[in-house]
Amino acid sequence: MMLDFWQFTKGYVRIEVTGFTVERFINMAAFRNIYLWDVRRVESGVQLNVSIRGFKMLRMCARKTKCKTKIVEKNGLPFLAHRYRRRKVFFGGVLFFFAGLIALSMFIWQIEIEGNDRISHDTILTFLENEGLYSGALKMRLNDDSIRDAILQNFDEIIWADVYTRGTRTQILISEALPVPEVFDRQTPVHVVASGEGLITGIATAAGAPMVRQNDVVREGDMLVSGILELDPENPGSTLVYVHADAEVWARRFHSLNFTVELTYETKIFTGRTTRQRTLDVLDFRINLPGGGNNFESYDRITTYNQVGARGNYPLPVILTTEHFSEFTPGSRTRTSDEARLLAESMVTSRIIREFDFGVDIVSRELQFSETDDILHVRALITTHERIDRQIPITVPTPAQ
Amino acid sequence: MQFKLKERAAGFFSLPKEVALDLPLLTATGRGELSIENYRNLLEFSAEKIRIRTRDGVVVVTGEGLALGQITTENVIVKGKISGVLFHDA
């Protein structure tokens, strides 16, 4: 089998030899070390295979033995190459394909990270980027073990990692250490003080001596539950005990938000004319695609990036950036006072959501408006029901030695 | 006499006989292939009969659809439906 393949690549011909002394012809050829194979008798003479080089030497034997040789078949690479010699572009293409394949497989295209739940993909990916491992990185410069060591060194919460590159894909498996349990400090003596002024609506003391009752009004910093206790309450002045006071104190508080809403305001009036500018980033260099260009003096720009193959599993470092410009002319619009008040309402809601944290209940809110020429002044009075207990450490006087 | 001496010498040195005494070595693989090494030359070649001269006389191979699978200076491989292999004196 290998012999045929070798003969094929060298190229061989099948010839027919006619004449009286065919045997002598064969003997002479064999004697001259010309390899003949598949010699068969045909009516007029003999057919046999011989390599191209061998055939050239046979010519001389044929003359000597007065035999005639006729080529019956030609096969093998040389003949094919000769026949398709004008197809250079085709073979160029084939070559380009293999060259491209080899070139592309010298890079890392896909990075897979598994096993991380507290550390996000992005943090690891950006870290890897500094280590030189990114989609499109040259494989020669990378070494699995050094990346693994870098990961272990850099992330303390990663206790085990394995980096494994196969082909153009690097797989990173990591496992994180168990989260450190949050330690609640119960020992240091503390007081519970008010974190803001308000009317107390309820107090539930777990430890320490409560100093306030329901419906008391307190100001920020007032003592709610004291961490210093009399050991023997009957006779004051006895030894003191320092305790870690702990209590849940609810209070009603009042907040006011002040802001303004302009009646005539600057806005963008879109002229509807839009242009688009697209650029293609391949690895590090950027190609500006034709079309677009932007000669508006004031415009809104919306930029969208999409990476080739990003959804599939082969994200290539080819990013098409499309910038969409829509022109506008600055102009001013007026709002009626009703519109302004509606806007004020929504602004108050968004500020409440932003500024008050989750545990705070909004009891009521009331908006007061006052209009001066062009601006609506808004004052929002908000009553809330929230916890105001905050622990502060007690400075324990060290007993005199 | 001289032949006997060389034969005993070959035996003594455990040299392969066909090499020492330039004798043909015939290797048949089933009925389909016969390899003849150390041949002199091809006397006759046809689909039914092939005659090959060796130092030890003539080998005649008869059969149907005979062909030479390969032929080189050292050996000849006969392929086809071999029905007989005869040795004749030169």
Side-chain angles (χ1 to χ4, degrees):
Chain A
M1 216 292 285
M2 279 316 292
L3 195 61
D4 312 344
F5 182 72
W6 171 241
Q7 296 295 5
F8 179 81
T9 33
K10 262 196 332 185
Y12 64 92
V13 283
R14 184 159 186 81
I15 62 169
E16 189 172 305
V17 183
T18 49
F20 296 110
T21 56
V22 171
E23 280 82 1
R24 273 191 64 221
F25 171 88
I26 295 175
N27 283 324
M28 183 178 286
F31 181 70
R32 278 191 172 55
N33 257 320
I34 302 166
Y35 181 68
L36 310 175
W37 72 97
D38 197 6
V39 185
R40 284 182 199 288
R41 202 63 167 149
V42 285
E43 338 72 50
S44 57
V46 159
Q47 275 191 3
L48 54 89
N49 290 346
V50 65
S51 67
I52 297 177
R53 223 159 39 76
F55 176 64
K56 292 197 170 79
M57 293 198 278
L58 273 189
R59 278 271 177 60
M60 202 244 296
C61 306
R63 264 199 316 283
K64 278 225 174 77
T65 58
K66 287 191 282 312
C67 296
K68 272 199 336 12
T69 59
K70 188 167 66 106
I71 293 181
V72 174
E73 256 177 54
K74 293 183 193 172
N75 22 38
L77 223 49
F79 296 111
L80 280 179
H82 181 67
R83 188 182 308 163
Y84 297 114
R85 62 190 182 291
R86 271 194 293 280
R87 301 278 188 84
K88 295 227 172 16
V89 177
F90 172 71
F91 289 109
V94 170
L95 220 64
F96 176 75
F97 168 74
F98 283 110
L101 194 64
I102 292 166
L104 285 178
S105 54
M106 286 179 356
F107 296 91
I108 295 283
W109 292 122
Q110 203 185 347
I111 300 165
E112 268 178 28
I113 301 172
E114 273 151 33
N116 55 333
D117 44 20
R118 280 195 305 287
I119 308 172
S120 76
H121 256 68
D122 301 338
T123 29
I124 301 179
L125 280 179
T126 31
F127 168 72
L128 290 177
E129 212 155 319
N130 317 338
E131 293 297 320
L133 172 60
Y134 49 88
S135 172
L138 201 58
K139 260 164 71 168
M140 274 184 293
R141 291 205 203 102
L142 295 171
N143 165 340
D144 286 353
D145 296 340
S146 60
I147 292 178
R148 183 202 55 212
D149 300 343
I151 291 177
L152 288 177
Q153 237 170 5
N154 183 56
F155 294 95
D156 326 338
E157 53 279 28
I158 295 183
I159 51 171
W160 174 83
D162 177 30
V163 179
Y164 172 63
T165 304
R166 192 139 91 35
T168 62
R169 194 159 66 102
T170 302
Q171 207 176 14
I172 298 173
L173 302 172
I174 61 170
S175 67
E176 290 159 346
L178 292 175
V180 171
E182 207 185 315
V183 176
F184 285 102
D185 155 30
R186 288 264 183 276
Q187 278 69 36
T188 52
V190 289
H191 288 311
V192 172
V193 295
S195 63
E197 35 50 59
L199 174 80
I200 299 208
T201 56
I203 174 165
T205 318
M211 316 293 277
V212 290
R213 279 194 318 282
Q214 211 166 1
N215 298 332
D216 288 359
V217 173
V218 291
R219 272 196 312 285
E220 185 164 1
D222 289 1
M223 172 87 77
L224 299 178
V225 175
S226 157
I228 306 175
L229 303 175
E230 297 276 339
L231 188 58
D232 174 5
E234 277 68 28
N235 42 42
S238 64
T239 56
L240 299 176
V241 172
Y242 294 91
V243 162
H244 178 87
D246 185 4
E248 224 182 73
V249 185
W250 288 85
R252 167 163 305 130
R253 298 193 57 205
F254 304 100
H255 305 265
S256 76
L257 301 174
N258 305 312
F259 54 91
T260 60
V261 176
E262 296 93 4
L263 290 182
T264 59
Y265 56 94
E266 292 305 311
T267 178
K268 302 172 186 169
I269 302 163
F270 286 96
T271 63
R273 283 220 318 266
T274 63
T275 57
R276 191 182 52 174
Q277 168 63 29
R278 286 191 308 185
T279 54
L280 193 68
D281 289 81
V282 180
L283 280 177
D284 311 335
F285 43 88
R286 164 173 290 228
I287 309 156
N288 290 325
L289 302 178
N294 151 38
N295 36 37
F296 307 135
E297 31 6 309
S298 46
Y299 52 84
D300 253 4
R301 173 183 20 194
I302 305 155
T303 317
T304 51
Y305 302 92
N306 40 55
Q307 186 178 12
V308 172
R311 267 180 305 284
N313 47 26
Y314 269 94
L316 298 177
V318 175
I319 298 158
L320 176 69
T321 323
T322 329
E323 280 164 323
H324 191 84
F325 301 98
S326 34
E327 187 195 25
F328 68 83
T329 52
S332 65
R333 281 252 176 74
T334 58
R335 286 196 192 97
T336 64
S337 63
D338 298 346
E339 275 168 4
R341 287 168 197 242
L342 217 58
L343 182 61
E345 285 282 344
S346 64
M347 282 166 80
V348 165
T349 322
S350 60
R351 280 192 62 175
I352 285 177
I353 292 169
R354 240 193 348 267
E355 281 157 21
F356 296 102
D357 60 24
F358 195 66
V360 173
D361 306 341
I362 310 293
V363 173
S364 74
R365 71 181 194 179
E366 188 214 335
L367 267 68
Q368 293 158 354
F369 301 105
S370 65
E371 262 187 51
T372 55
D373 50 55
D374 202 5
I375 295 171
L376 174 72
H377 295 277
V378 183
R379 191 157 181 280
L381 295 171
I382 298 166
T383 53
T384 61
H385 184 235
E386 54 188 284
R387 277 182 60 171
I388 55 167
D389 47 286
R390 188 159 56 87
Q391 291 176 332
I392 55 164
I394 308 172
T395 49
V396 177
T398 52
Q401 263 75 21
Chain B
M1 220 304 283
Q2 192 244 11
F3 187 77
K4 277 274 171 281
L5 185 66
K6 209 190 274 184
E7 193 171 347
R8 244 189 278 109
F12 179 69
F13 292 122
S14 75
L15 275 171
K17 277 216 179 50
E18 83 276 2
V19 174
L21 308 166
D22 189 17
L23 293 175
L25 172 68
L26 279 77
T27 322
T29 332
R31 280 188 64 172
E33 192 173 306
L34 174 68
S35 156
I36 304 157
E37 283 170 58
N38 248 342
Y39 76 100
R40 278 280 181 284
N41 55 27
L42 181 70
L43 293 175
E44 188 187 335
F45 169 61
S46 76
E48 289 76 30
K49 193 162 77 160
I50 297 177
R51 282 172 50 240
I52 297 175
R53 177 192 301 283
T54 68
R55 185 186 175 290
D56 204 9
V58 175
V59 176
V60 180
V61 183
T62 53
E64 291 155 38
L66 294 182
L68 299 185
Q70 283 172 22
I71 178 163
T72 61
T73 42
E74 296 88 26
N75 80 331
V76 173
I77 296 181
V78 176
K79 286 195 173 163
K81 205 152 175 286
I82 300 170
S83 52
V85 178
L86 287 171
F87 292 92
H88 284 312
D89 292 343

